[in-house]
Amino acid sequence: CINTPFNKDTQVTEEYRLRHRYFDIRTNQQLYRNLEIRDRVTFGIREELRRCGFMDVETPLLFKSTAEGAREFVVPTRNPGKFYALPQSPQQYKQLLMASGVDRYYQIAKCFRDESGRADRQPEFTQVDLEMAFVSTPEDVMAPVERVIRRAWHDAGHVLPEQPFPRARL
């Protein structure tokens, strides 16, 4: 560790902590533990999906705007009147990948939605996008999803949900 002029007992204002996040993470063990938990959970998700035969892909963050539900965040280009949009979800690339023969893939993707009228929504979030082609039964989807959820809960230190998960009967 680098020696710093402060330690975990150093008292500073909230404004200082928010301006210097490294100080907050260094002195607040809960924040540091949160980063460790996210690391373990993300690693476990990737490991379980690989075991289930999924390929990890990454799709572009800038794409042509599409007509969907939420408003998109637009990113201007150097060409006047031309814009890119930040993805609301990685769904836009699903058909391209499936048609290319990538029949089981996932990505841990950043998503952006401009829902400024809804105070209970975050504009930026991360989601696991899991796609499968040519499934025969609902169990073909549920089995890998349950494995991933159980692994994520375990890696986060939570009590594991019952197995198999209760199913809704339609």
Side-chain angles (χ1 to χ4, degrees):
C1 269
I2 298 171
N3 289 330
T4 61
F6 51 79
N7 61 43
K8 65 179 183 167
D9 299 321
T10 302
Q11 298 295 314
V12 296
T13 65
E14 181 177 8
E15 180 183 340
Y16 183 88
R17 283 195 340 268
L18 293 175
R19 189 176 314 135
H20 304 281
R21 292 305 286 188
Y22 63 89
F23 179 81
D24 212 12
I25 293 169
R26 187 180 195 96
T27 59
N28 184 331
Q29 290 301 306
Q30 185 60 49
L31 288 177
Y32 191 83
R33 278 193 300 274
N34 290 346
L35 290 173
E36 288 179 319
I37 290 169
R38 185 183 192 283
D39 173 60
R40 281 194 312 273
V41 168
T42 303
F43 179 82
I45 289 169
R46 290 182 192 281
E47 193 171 59
E48 285 302 315
L49 288 171
R50 178 172 289 279
R51 286 184 184 139
C52 292
F54 287 84
M55 180 187 296
D56 183 2
V57 300
E58 185 176 321
T59 57
L61 275 181
L62 297 175
F63 71 101
K64 184 177 179 176
S65 183
T66 62
E68 281 202 18
R71 291 185 315 210
E72 296 169 324
F73 286 105
V74 293
V75 180
T77 67
R78 292 181 183 174
N79 300 322
K82 301 287 182 180
F83 297 88
Y84 286 107
L86 295 175
Q88 296 181 45
S89 76
Q91 290 286 331
Q92 284 85 356
Y93 298 98
K94 175 182 175 181
Q95 292 167 334
L96 172 70
L97 289 163
M98 294 289 167
S100 301
V102 182
D103 61 346
R104 283 182 160 225
Y105 77 88
Y106 75 94
Q107 58 183 320
I108 299 176
K110 283 287 188 193
C111 301
F112 307 89
R113 292 193 180 136
D114 182 2
E115 298 191 269
S116 52
R118 299 186 69 176
D120 63 337
R121 300 285 176 97
Q122 285 187 217
E124 175 187 342
F125 58 94
T126 303
Q127 76 178 35
V128 177
D129 179 44
L130 180 74
E131 300 293 347
M132 301 170 72
F134 313 113
V135 296
S136 300
T137 68
E139 195 58 32
D140 292 342
V141 176
M142 293 298 291
V145 169
E146 281 189 22
R147 283 182 63 171
V148 169
I149 292 172
R150 290 182 62 78
R151 173 69 184 267
W153 277 71
H154 174 268
D155 291 344
H158 296 295
V159 175
L160 297 180
E162 65 181 85
Q163 189 176 2
F165 291 174
R167 304 286 198 264
R169 302 285 179 223
L170 302 175

